[in-house]
Amino acid sequence: MPLPNIPGYNRLTKTHKYSAAGIAAAGAAAIAFAVVPGGDAGAKTTAQDLPNKPVALTSQKADAQAHHEALAKQSALAAKQAKDEAAKKAAAKKAAEEAAAKKAADEAAAKKAAEAKAAKERAAKQAASRSATRIETVAAEKKTYPDNLDGWIRESLDIMKEKGIPGSYEGIHRNIIRESGGNPRAINNWDINAQNGVPSKGLLQVIAPTFQAYHVDGTSWDPYDPVANITAACNYAADRYGSMDNVNGPY
């Protein structure tokens, strides 16, 4: 800026020069703002109006910052809601899968239990059927014998065969006829055995001690029972003589 052409200016001090220059500049500025070509009084602008513009810019910046923060909050809230919704869906899906797995496991367990029960019932029916079959078979296989001397001898022979006691129909029949005449209630009350208190009894005239010692399991304990008497006597004869077939007289 050129120095003003003021008389005596060069004789002023530096401080005075700066002061004068400042005053001159301020005055020029005042004149420039006071007179605006083509304007009117309503369009005049004073220096007092200048501070208002920076304030307006600051307010706009603050509004923009607030708007930005609001958008950031909305975005964060939307992200959180989306995350929560995804977590909720995942939890619901997991619960549904667990429920389906539990239902499948329960159904499998129920099916297994039903199959086990059915298998047990089938096994019980099969066992009952086999048992009934065995009973029927045994009943069918069990021989029936006439209630007479022939039947008694034949039944005794089957028992003796099962127990391994030797003897034949002829040998048994021959000795029965000699001892009792075929009378199962025969008793000897006069021989030495009777005198000793143990009379001979039954078809083959067996005394009580001999009958008890040689009794065959599965037969009656009654010495007058025809089958029990024959099998006990044949058991005794086999032990002492090898077989009832070898007995041809009192034994």
Side-chain angles (χ1 to χ4, degrees):
M1 180 178 178
L3 296 176
N5 186 13
I6 300 172
Y9 179 77
N10 292 330
R11 294 193 296 271
L12 295 176
T13 65
K14 186 181 291 188
T15 301
H16 291 145
K17 290 178 180 179
Y18 287 145
S19 297
I23 293 171
I31 293 171
F33 283 104
V35 181
V36 179
D40 55 23
K44 292 180 182 180
T45 302
T46 64
Q48 295 177 354
D49 297 327
L50 294 177
N52 291 331
K53 291 182 179 180
V55 172
L57 292 173
T58 301
S59 177
Q60 291 177 0
K61 185 176 181 181
D63 290 343
Q65 181 66 26
H67 181 66
H68 177 73
E69 292 177 354
L71 290 176
K73 289 182 179 179
Q74 289 178 358
S75 178
L77 179 60
K80 184 177 183 302
Q81 290 177 345
K83 184 178 180 181
D84 292 344
E85 185 67 20
K88 184 177 180 181
K89 289 181 178 179
K93 182 179 179 182
K94 184 178 180 181
E97 290 174 348
E98 290 177 349
K102 184 177 184 301
K103 182 179 179 181
D106 292 342
E107 290 177 350
K111 182 179 179 182
K112 186 176 181 181
E115 290 176 349
K117 182 179 179 181
K120 186 176 181 180
E121 290 176 351
R122 285 196 301 271
K125 288 181 179 178
Q126 291 173 356
S129 178
R130 288 193 297 269
S131 178
T133 300
R134 284 195 299 269
I135 292 173
E136 291 174 359
T137 301
V138 170
E141 292 177 350
K142 187 176 181 180
K143 291 182 178 181
T144 57
Y145 305 91
D147 189 21
N148 55 32
L149 181 58
D150 178 70
W152 301 332
I153 295 174
R154 292 187 183 282
E155 184 175 356
S156 296
L157 283 170
D158 286 341
I159 295 173
M160 290 164 57
K161 182 178 180 180
E162 181 183 346
K163 301 296 183 178
I165 302 171
S168 67
Y169 186 97
E170 188 280 328
I172 295 172
H173 185 272
R174 173 168 46 80
N175 282 285
I176 287 176
I177 296 302
R178 187 188 68 253
E179 294 291 334
S180 65
N183 178 11
R185 303 299 301 180
I187 182 171
N188 186 329
N189 290 316
W190 55 266
D191 67 2
I192 187 63
N193 291 321
Q195 294 175 14
N196 291 331
V198 285
S200 301
K201 300 177 181 179
L203 289 174
L204 285 169
Q205 293 293 284
V206 182
I207 62 175
T210 300
F211 178 81
Q212 294 171 1
Y214 290 92
H215 173 265
V216 177
D217 291 340
T219 63
S220 172
W221 280 95
D222 180 3
Y224 288 109
D225 179 86
V227 176
N229 188 279
I230 292 171
T231 53
C234 288
N235 193 25
Y236 165 72
D239 181 53
R240 185 167 184 180
Y241 304 103
S243 172
M244 182 62 74
D245 294 347
N246 299 327
V247 178
N248 296 298
Y251 62 107

